[in-house]
């Protein structure tokens, strides 16, 4: 499993940190929304739910792709407005409306409460 | 190298000089004739920052909003997703100064739950004989809402880069604070 691309880049904060369990390692957006991070699941894997730890985010959308052809993304899940907790981590999850095997998943931060959103951990179950 | 990007709402009454200011700063051009903005205009101003080792810059995505009332319905939506605010008034016209509170209120309504800050810009200080709102009033208002205050003449190009540089600095500081708060 690895991050294929991300829409913000600060060399101090590798996007792959979102797959690392260490909560002190993170990826951060550098301004404006939406922002997204594309994750290659390393083969076709069944996914029912996406769990995450973030800060500053307002709304998350998950897009899924059942092939390795990244042009075939479809929206498969969406959060409500996350709780606005300035300076604190938000732990939440999105249940997929279409639980199925996916090859690629996009974690889209549609909007933020803060100027910048940090993403500490993303897990697929 | 990283690029920080901010959505800046440029707001204020008609004819205060919002579009002229943005065009002067982004394209070095000044229009003596009033061309009313319809809806909004979109420009990007890049501001390099001296931050020691790595080269960094802030891109200000300037949303220059129409001041005319007839566009209120369309422009209301555009006030959302703001990172920073630039409120502009005309020093020769007190109404444009007093109505800034209302503009700020509208912007706040569209950005509930967000911490907002920015700059107040007093424009047209070249019209010395017609000044009706003094700098002390402008500065006091800015202070009361937690904004920085700048006096400029877009016509003469006087001080026009300062409020934009200030916005870029504020945004960079916020980024650093966010990163620091995460324990990095
Ligand atoms: N003397 C003087 N005139 C200025 C200055 N800046 C702008 N103007 C004039 O003010 C008029 C209005 O400028 P605009 O920039 O179009 O005004 P605006 O705030 O964008 O107006 P709306 O788009 O209707 O909201 C123009 O005729 C400009 O030439 C200045 O610094 N000094
Ligand atoms: Mg205009």
């Amino acid at each position: 499993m690895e991050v294929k691309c991300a829409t913000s880049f600060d060399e101090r904060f590798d996007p792959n940190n979102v797959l690392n369990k260490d909560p002190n390692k993170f990826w951060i957006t550098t301004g404006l929304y939406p922002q997204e991070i594309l994750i290659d699941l390393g083969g076709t894997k069944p996914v029912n739910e996406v769990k995450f730890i973030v800060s500053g985010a307002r709304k998350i959308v998950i897009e899924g792709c059942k092939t390795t052809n990244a042009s075939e993304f479809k929206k498969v899940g969406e959060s409500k407005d996350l709780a606005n907790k300035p300076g604190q981590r938000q732990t939440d999850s999105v249940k997929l409306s279409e639980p199925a095997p996916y090859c690629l998943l996009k974690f889209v931060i549609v909007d933020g409460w803060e100027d910048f959103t940090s993403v500490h951990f993303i897990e697929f179950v | 190298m990283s690029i920080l990007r901010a959505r800046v709402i440029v707001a204020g009454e008609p004819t205060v000089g919002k579009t002229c200011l943005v065009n002067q700063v982004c394209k070095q051009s000044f229009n003596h004739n009033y061309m009313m903005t319809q809806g909004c205009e979109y420009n990007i101003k890049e501001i390099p920052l001296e931050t020691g080792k790595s080269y960094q810059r802030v891109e200000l995505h300037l949303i220059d909003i129409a001041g005319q009332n007839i566009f209120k319905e369309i422009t209301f939506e555009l006030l959302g997703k703001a990172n920073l605010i630039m409120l502009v008034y005309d020093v020769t016209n007190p109404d444009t100064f007093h109505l800034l509170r209302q503009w700020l209120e509208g912007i706040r309504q569209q950005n509930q739950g967000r911490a907002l800050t920015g700059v107040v810009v007093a424009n047209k200080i070249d019209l010395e004989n017609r000044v009706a709102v003094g700098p002390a009033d402008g500065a006091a208002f800015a202070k009361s809402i937690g904004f920085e205050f700048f006096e400029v003449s877009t016509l003469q190009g006087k001080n026009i880069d300062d409020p934009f540089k200030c916005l870029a600095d504020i945004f960079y500081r916020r980024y650093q604070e966010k990163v620091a708060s995460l324990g990095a």
Side-chain angles (χ1 to χ4, degrees):
Chain A
M1 197 157 62
E2 64 171 336
V3 171
K4 281 289 179 195
C5 61
T7 50
S8 277
F9 190 72
D10 179 329
E11 65 248 355
R12 294 173 293 173
F13 310 113
D14 184 344
N16 272 297
N17 287 346
V18 307
L19 301 174
N20 184 312
K21 267 212 155 80
D22 181 350
N24 291 320
K25 289 190 170 168
F26 57 88
W27 169 72
I28 186 167
T29 71
T30 56
L32 300 185
Y33 294 101
Q35 294 271 347
E36 60 187 51
I37 188 160
L38 195 161
I39 297 162
D40 183 339
L41 298 182
T44 307
K45 305 224 170 96
V47 179
N48 298 305
E49 188 179 5
V50 178
K51 295 185 174 178
F52 51 86
I53 303 172
V54 297
S55 83
R58 178 162 183 176
K59 194 178 172 82
I60 306 294
V61 158
I62 307 295
E63 291 179 12
C65 179
K66 290 176 180 171
T67 68
T68 49
N69 179 356
S71 63
E72 296 165 20
F73 273 98
K74 230 178 90 180
K75 180 167 159 180
V76 294
E78 181 174 20
S79 75
K80 296 199 205 65
D81 265 6
L82 305 185
N84 186 3
K85 295 197 254 183
Q88 285 180 55
R89 309 277 158 99
Q90 301 153 302
T91 301
D92 218 310
S93 67
V94 171
K95 286 214 165 59
L96 301 199
S97 54
E98 271 184 63
Y102 292 101
C103 275
L104 305 169
L105 283 174
K106 263 191 211 172
F107 185 85
V108 185
I109 307 154
V110 182
D111 196 6
W113 287 115
E114 295 177 32
D115 298 329
F116 314 102
T117 288
S118 61
V119 182
H120 299 258
F121 188 48
I122 304 177
E123 188 178 27
F124 306 99
V125 293
Chain B
M1 183 188 87
S2 49
I3 304 168
L4 304 183
R5 297 188 171 88
R7 180 177 166 92
V8 182
I9 306 298
V10 182
E13 288 297 287
T15 76
V16 297
K18 299 180 295 298
T19 302
C20 284
L21 176 60
V22 168
N23 284 339
Q24 184 77 295
V25 161
C26 294
K27 303 171 195 158
Q28 287 76 46
S29 76
F30 185 83
N31 188 353
H32 288 268
N33 302 314
Y34 171 48
M35 295 275 290
M36 148 178 97
T37 303
Q38 315 203 12
C40 88
E41 285 169 50
Y42 176 68
N43 282 280
I44 298 177
K45 174 67 181 172
E46 284 190 13
I47 303 196
L49 295 177
E50 287 132 49
T51 58
K53 281 182 247 143
S54 63
Y55 174 75
Q56 262 187 325
R57 67 174 197 264
V58 176
E59 273 181 20
L60 300 176
H61 292 240
L62 303 165
I63 314 297
D64 166 20
I65 304 273
Q68 297 283 356
N69 245 322
I70 41 169
F71 298 111
K72 280 268 154 69
E73 238 164 82
I74 334 176
T75 56
F76 201 59
E77 284 272 299
L78 300 168
L79 303 179
K81 293 199 179 195
N83 298 115
L84 296 162
I85 302 170
M86 176 176 283
L87 296 174
V88 186
Y89 70 93
D90 172 348
V91 293
T92 69
N93 182 339
D95 287 346
T96 66
F97 175 61
H98 296 299
L99 286 165
L100 285 185
R101 245 178 226 289
Q102 219 163 297
W103 278 102
L104 181 62
E105 222 20 72
I107 297 168
R108 285 215 171 111
Q109 260 179 48
Q110 286 296 88
N111 289 282
Q112 279 174 23
R114 282 205 183 85
L116 290 176
T117 177
V119 294
V120 173
V121 178
N123 189 30
K124 308 197 188 182
I125 56 168
D126 53 281
L127 300 173
E128 289 164 28
N129 304 325
R130 291 170 46 198
V131 172
V133 183
D137 290 339
F141 169 65
K143 195 171 176 209
S144 75
I145 59 173
F147 282 33
E148 299 290 328
F149 177 65
F150 295 90
E151 288 182 282
V152 311
S153 166
T154 303
L155 176 74
Q156 297 175 336
K158 195 173 172 192
N159 305 339
I160 55 172
D161 288 323
D162 300 354
F164 295 90
K165 178 79 172 68
C166 175
L167 291 176
D169 287 341
I170 292 174
F171 203 63
Y172 177 64
R173 211 179 313 129
R174 283 216 198 170
Y175 183 67
Q176 282 181 306
E177 282 165 13
K178 174 76 179 174
V179 165
S181 79
L182 295 166

